[in-house]
Amino acid sequence: MIARSPSAEGTSAGFALVAWSRGAGCLELATLLGGRPPIQVKGDLRRSCIKDRIELLVTRRLSSFDLVPIVIPHHLELERVESVTAAVGDGPHSELAAAVGSGIGAALGVPAELATVYRTPEEITVALARLERLAEVHPDIGRRAVDEPTAKRLVESLAPGTLLVVGAPGGSWLQRQLFGTGHRLLVTAPSGAIVVRSAPRRCYQDAADPAGIAIGGHLTVKDALALMRYPVVPVCEGGRLVGTARIETLVEKEPTLLVADVMEPPVAVADVEPVAAAADLDEFFGNSPIPVVDSDGYLIGTIFDPPPHSLVDFEISSS
């Protein structure tokens, strides 16, 4: 049993819901990192992550699965952890390493630090800037720039009881050092190691409940305008997205026409697309939520839900 400090109520890692698969240390680590009780994934991993809106997966090994960020414990001994060191470099996984290191430190009530390596005097400025940038997100974490020629020296400098957090191989010089011929370095970390691999945030993770937003194609233009809360709304039939309705278009149509006869083609982002893809549709939707659909075309949610649109600026004719 891991004793949590009073300050550990909700970690600073920022993961609302964490999933875990069977493996040594996976459940314990998922419990520390999640804002809610973790979910064990079974069967279709991809489907489970989407269904439960998973933000982080704690699993026993790296694989080609890249839908969500992944965290992998190696020889983890949480009961022995007295401090946490997140080794960061210029690779793509350093931000996740910092978040996980900070979150574990907060959950266990132990000191946490960011550590980076510089090999020449010319690299000092870059190394310090890297630490400062990450520390802006995690202000309570310590920072250490180490003048070491190899990652081996960094690991050897860790104090007894230190848990090492590091990005997956291939991201930076530091990560390649830890995972190349020196894979054994992870085993020598005093209280075990955690390997992290980042992934872009996906649309399904930010999709809000679409209840009350979509309208049906069977409605008349008059009835649709009375229901529409945004300038642009999805049109659905049987849960599937079939079109797009725009207030400025509908107010120019005969009130007795059906929405299905005057709607525009459906526009949406797929649930597994990176959230950044939704930005490409900002101009089309303006101040309206962007529909998110699954692989079968069903509307599962919307991204960006601003205050409801007021219809007072539109003159709606009646028959």
Side-chain angles (χ1 to χ4, degrees), residues 86-305:
V88 297
D90 56 2
H93 311 305
S94 289
E95 291 185 9
L96 179 58
V100 169
S102 175
I104 293 175
L108 294 178
V110 300
E113 69 168 2
L114 302 173
T116 193
V117 173
Y118 64 91
R119 292 165 290 171
T120 67
E122 292 74 19
E123 293 180 357
I124 296 176
T125 302
V126 175
L128 293 177
R130 179 186 306 135
L131 293 177
E132 290 300 322
R133 177 177 58 83
L134 292 171
E136 288 179 1
V137 183
H138 308 285
D140 297 330
I141 200 168
R143 302 182 290 282
R144 180 163 61 106
V146 184
D147 180 7
E148 298 288 2
T150 67
K152 181 175 184 293
R153 296 283 294 276
L154 171 62
V155 175
E156 290 175 344
S157 73
L158 298 177
T162 300
L163 172 65
L164 176 66
V165 182
V166 64
S172 68
W173 171 84
L174 177 61
Q175 292 157 349
R176 291 192 296 273
Q177 283 268 310
L178 287 166
F179 284 93
T181 56
H183 177 69
R184 293 184 303 276
L185 292 177
L186 294 180
V187 180
T188 63
S191 289
I194 293 173
V195 178
V196 303
R197 187 182 69 194
S198 60
R201 189 165 180 82
R202 309 290 178 170
C203 288
Y204 77 82
Q205 294 169 327
D206 279 1
D209 187 348
I213 293 177
I215 61 174
H218 62 282
L219 292 175
T220 64
V221 167
K222 177 183 178 181
D223 291 339
L225 287 170
L227 294 173
M228 291 172 67
R229 300 168 54 216
Y230 299 92
V232 184
V233 301
V235 181
C236 292
E237 293 296 340
R240 278 194 171 93
L241 183 68
V242 296
T244 303
R246 189 181 298 272
I247 286 180
E248 65 179 4
T249 299
L250 266 57
V251 294
E252 297 177 351
K253 304 296 182 181
E254 288 294 327
T256 56
L257 290 175
L258 298 181
V259 170
D261 296 328
V262 297
M263 66 184 181
E264 301 173 16
V267 177
V269 290
D271 51 5
V272 296
E273 285 188 275
V275 170
D280 295 336
L281 300 179
D282 280 346
E283 184 175 353
F284 181 87
F285 284 96
N287 293 324
S288 300
I290 298 171
V292 180
V293 296
D294 64 14
S295 58
D296 294 318
Y298 284 94
L299 180 68
I300 67 164
T302 58
I303 291 178
F304 179 52
D305 196 5

Side-chain angles (χ1 to χ4, degrees), residues 70-92:
I70 289 177
V71 174
I72 304 166
H74 286 267
H75 305 280
L76 188 62
E77 299 182 61
L78 287 174
E79 65 279 358
R80 293 182 52 195
V81 173
E82 298 178 1
S83 62
V84 182
T85 293
V88 297
D90 56 2

